[in-house]
Amino acid sequence: MPSPPTPKHNHLLGALPAADYARLLPELEPVQMVLGQAIYESGGPQEYVYFPTTCIVSLLYVMQDGSSAEIAVVGNEGVVGVALFMGGGTTPSRAVVQSAGQAFRLDGVHLKDAFERGGPLQSLLLRYTQSLITQMAQTAVCNRHHTVEQQLCRWLLLSLDRLPTNELTMTQALIANMLGVRREGVTEAAGKLQSAGMINYSRGKITVLDRPKLERRACECYAVVKRESDRLFARNEAPVGALA
Amino acid sequence: MPSPPTPKHNHLLGALPAADYARLLPELEPVQMVLGQAIYESGGPQEYVYFPTTCIVSLLYVMQDGSSAEIAVVGNEGVVGVALFMGGGTTPSRAVVQSAGQAFRLDGVHLKDAFERGGPLQSLLLRYTQSLITQMAQTAVCNRHHTVEQQLCRWLLLSLDRLPTNELTMTQALIANMLGVRREGVTEAAGKLQSAGMINYSRGKITVLDRPKLERRACECYAVVKRESDRLFARNEAPVGALA
DNA sequence: GGGATTCCGTACGTTAGCGTACATACAGCG
DNA sequence: CGCTGTATGTACGCTAACGTACGGAATCCC
């Protein structure tokens, strides 16, 4: 049996200096996130923030007529519930567990408190919010200009980046819901990717076989988001602010 | 001749307590914003933040193939350059003056300094950023699901909210660029709105004649953004947190 | 006033994606 | 094994929007 994830599995928590981390640790509470669970409803109260470790959470907008669209996806690189420290307390978006797993949650009051001390935690949370903004903006552009197939590639890559394996559990109907397109559109696009040997899927299990090929087939949107995220967090241990 | 705009014409600056405002005032520098001017380039340096008073600035993403899409619009309710205090220093978006006018700019170093004191300024800037996020997310959904005509209505209303008059100077080609659609598509949609008596336009001058009608023709996206913005800033003097 | 430029209108074939309907296929379970 | 439900495949007409092309009209400028 694999060892349970620790808070450090979340990149934001893992990047905190020891002192800040220690102060937060007793308040962090591990929670299981089950597939399809709604963490927040649109405009509803947000009592906790969630730091995913092994799960993925989608931020969705749902229209009056029931149609929906994903605007961003959050995994162990980020945090769900930025409205808590941004000051709004809520947002018009839903947050839904897209891939089951584990997260650590933190009471909103404690978070707000810690945030207002300033320092590394505040800085990290704000930088993450900025990368989230980039993802949302790029999603908007992608929705405007790119084909379903390109968007599917982007979506697969974004999800893959947030998972430990190259396999994800997700039916085509659910993907269609995320992308805001028809299920048949996903079937068609996925069929092409499978024919091209990039992926393999069957009844809700998608295995990515050739990731580089997938990246080449995706639109530039994925790369932009990835690059910006890498830049903001300088994962390669380069000093902050160093632009290659 | 009308009196020149003061910093208070910007809602964020105007909402500051006297002490904070006074501290910022000597650093604020009035600048004329000319139509089409690029305030920031994609990924370029952002030396100043801009508090618009009478101008409007569009945030655009431009793709490799030259196609583009507006992801948000900023007027006297906000500030251009959130990346400066969010910590990224830059963003992949361009910022272009969509409607000429005036703004006050503030050196990024001073801003960052003031931001890190915490307090009302920080809180205001973060709440504004949150409303910007809402706008961007809603744009993403709108791009996915709504017709050009609906989007045009939304766009007109958003622009109108940020202008003192009911007239805006903007050719159909430029609007098409913002929306990321064909110029002909805008011509057609605008023609319908004109036939319906909602607007009047000629060679780059658009006059809105019947705003309520326009709101009814727009998709829900406009209302969501407006409501969220009103909520976050409680312009009706209601106590913060009061949800009608 | 004449010419150039910019802006707007229109038209036509093409295409991506939609809505709908239905067929197949696999999985789990009794 | 056969039943049932869920997941996936396919097909067909329809529409919004695209790319392209060109004509007309207002404005600017000499």
Side-chain angles (χ1 to χ4, degrees):
Chain A
M1 189 179 273
S3 56
T6 74
K8 293 255 184 200
H9 280 91
N10 179 278
H11 295 171
L12 292 181
L13 295 175
L16 282 177
D20 299 77
Y21 181 72
R23 192 157 44 221
L24 233 45
L25 192 52
E27 310 296 339
L28 290 171
E29 179 185 355
V31 281
Q32 287 303 315
M33 310 287 267
V34 311
L35 185 62
Q37 179 187 2
I39 307 297
Y40 307 135
E41 286 298 340
S42 168
Q46 302 188 348
E47 201 180 342
Y48 298 94
V49 291
Y50 295 81
F51 294 92
T53 53
T54 59
C55 68
I56 303 184
V57 175
S58 280
L59 306 185
L60 291 174
Y61 268 46
V62 183
M63 319 286 304
Q64 285 162 5
D65 67 359
S67 59
S68 64
E70 182 185 85
I71 53 163
V73 50
V74 182
N76 69 346
E77 90 293 355
V79 58
V80 184
V82 300
L84 272 169
F85 56 83
M86 293 299 284
T90 181
T91 67
S93 69
R94 284 188 94 202
V96 177
V97 177
Q98 184 206 95
S99 179
Q102 193 251 29
F104 286 90
R105 75 177 188 187
L106 175 60
D107 188 282
V109 177
H110 284 113
L111 175 85
K112 187 104 178 114
D113 203 56
F115 178 85
E116 280 168 0
R117 300 175 102 97
L121 177 65
Q122 187 184 82
S123 164
L124 271 170
L125 289 175
L126 292 182
R127 274 215 308 277
Y128 172 70
T129 303
Q130 160 118 21
S131 87
L132 198 62
I133 288 177
T134 299
Q135 196 189 149
M136 290 169 45
Q138 201 68 44
T139 301
V141 177
C142 202
N143 282 351
R144 162 67 60 216
H145 290 293
H146 298 139
T147 65
V148 170
E149 185 183 319
Q150 289 176 307
Q151 294 184 47
L152 176 59
C153 291
R154 170 177 64 81
W155 190 89
L156 287 172
L157 291 166
L158 282 177
S159 297
L160 219 58
D161 283 346
R162 288 159 179 78
L163 286 173
T165 73
N166 62 339
E167 189 176 303
L168 56 157
T169 304
M170 175 77 33
T171 67
Q172 299 185 352
L174 285 179
I175 296 178
N177 227 287
M178 300 289 178
L179 295 181
V181 300
R182 282 184 320 150
R183 197 263 314 160
E184 291 86 342
V186 173
T187 299
E188 196 185 328
K192 286 188 198 169
L193 299 186
Q194 175 151 285
S195 300
M198 301 176 186
I199 66 173
N200 197 334
Y201 63 92
S202 147
R203 297 189 74 73
K205 292 268 183 230
I206 305 180
T207 312
V208 174
L209 303 173
D210 189 341
R211 193 188 154 120
K213 219 170 189 174
L214 204 58
E215 292 186 11
R216 267 173 278 136
R217 193 99 156 210
C219 46
E220 65 198 83
C221 299
Y222 168 70
V224 170
V225 169
K226 184 80 159 62
R227 194 184 325 127
E228 180 70 357
S229 173
D230 286 350
R231 180 183 77 82
L232 286 167
F233 293 102
R235 289 191 185 126
N236 44 11
E237 305 297 315
V240 174
L243 287 170
Chain B
M1 189 178 277
S3 57
T6 74
K8 294 252 183 202
H9 279 90
N10 179 278
H11 295 171
L12 292 181
L13 295 175
L16 281 177
D20 300 76
Y21 181 71
R23 193 158 43 223
L24 232 46
L25 193 53
E27 309 297 339
L28 291 170
E29 180 186 355
V31 281
Q32 287 303 314
M33 311 286 268
V34 312
L35 185 63
Q37 179 187 359
I39 306 298
Y40 306 134
E41 286 298 341
S42 168
Q46 303 188 350
E47 201 180 343
Y48 299 94
V49 291
Y50 295 81
F51 294 92
T53 53
T54 59
C55 68
I56 302 183
V57 176
S58 279
L59 306 185
L60 292 174
Y61 268 46
V62 183
M63 319 287 303
Q64 285 162 4
D65 68 359
S67 59
S68 65
E70 182 184 85
I71 54 163
V73 50
V74 181
N76 69 345
E77 90 292 356
V79 58
V80 184
V82 300
L84 272 168
F85 56 81
M86 294 299 284
T90 181
T91 66
S93 68
R94 285 188 94 202
V96 177
V97 177
Q98 184 206 94
S99 179
Q102 193 250 28
F104 286 90
R105 76 177 188 189
L106 175 60
D107 187 283
V109 177
H110 284 113
L111 175 85
K112 186 103 177 114
D113 203 55
F115 178 86
E116 280 168 0
R117 300 174 102 98
L121 177 65
Q122 187 184 81
S123 163
L124 272 170
L125 290 175
L126 291 182
R127 274 215 309 277
Y128 172 68
T129 304
Q130 160 119 22
S131 86
L132 199 62
I133 288 177
T134 299
Q135 194 189 150
M136 290 168 45
Q138 202 68 46
T139 302
V141 177
C142 202
N143 283 352
R144 162 68 60 216
H145 290 293
H146 297 139
T147 65
V148 170
E149 185 182 319
Q150 288 176 308
Q151 294 185 48
L152 176 59
C153 291
R154 170 178 64 84
W155 190 90
L156 287 172
L157 290 167
L158 283 177
S159 297
L160 219 59
D161 282 345
R162 288 158 179 80
L163 287 172
T165 72
N166 63 339
E167 189 176 303
L168 56 157
T169 305
M170 174 77 33
T171 67
Q172 299 186 351
L174 285 179
I175 296 178
N177 228 288
M178 300 289 176
L179 295 182
V181 299
R182 283 183 320 152
R183 197 261 315 158
E184 290 85 343
V186 174
T187 300
E188 196 184 328
K192 287 189 197 168
L193 299 186
Q194 175 151 285
S195 300
M198 301 177 187
I199 66 172
N200 197 334
Y201 63 93
S202 147
R203 299 189 73 73
K205 292 268 183 228
I206 305 179
T207 312
V208 174
L209 303 174
D210 189 341
R211 192 189 154 119
K213 219 171 189 173
L214 203 58
E215 292 186 11
R216 266 174 279 137
R217 192 100 157 209
C219 45
E220 65 199 81
C221 298
Y222 168 72
V224 170
V225 169
K226 183 81 159 61
R227 192 183 328 128
E228 180 70 357
S229 174
D230 286 351
R231 180 182 77 83
L232 286 168
F233 293 102
R235 287 185 187 131
N236 44 10
E237 306 296 316
V240 173
L243 288 169

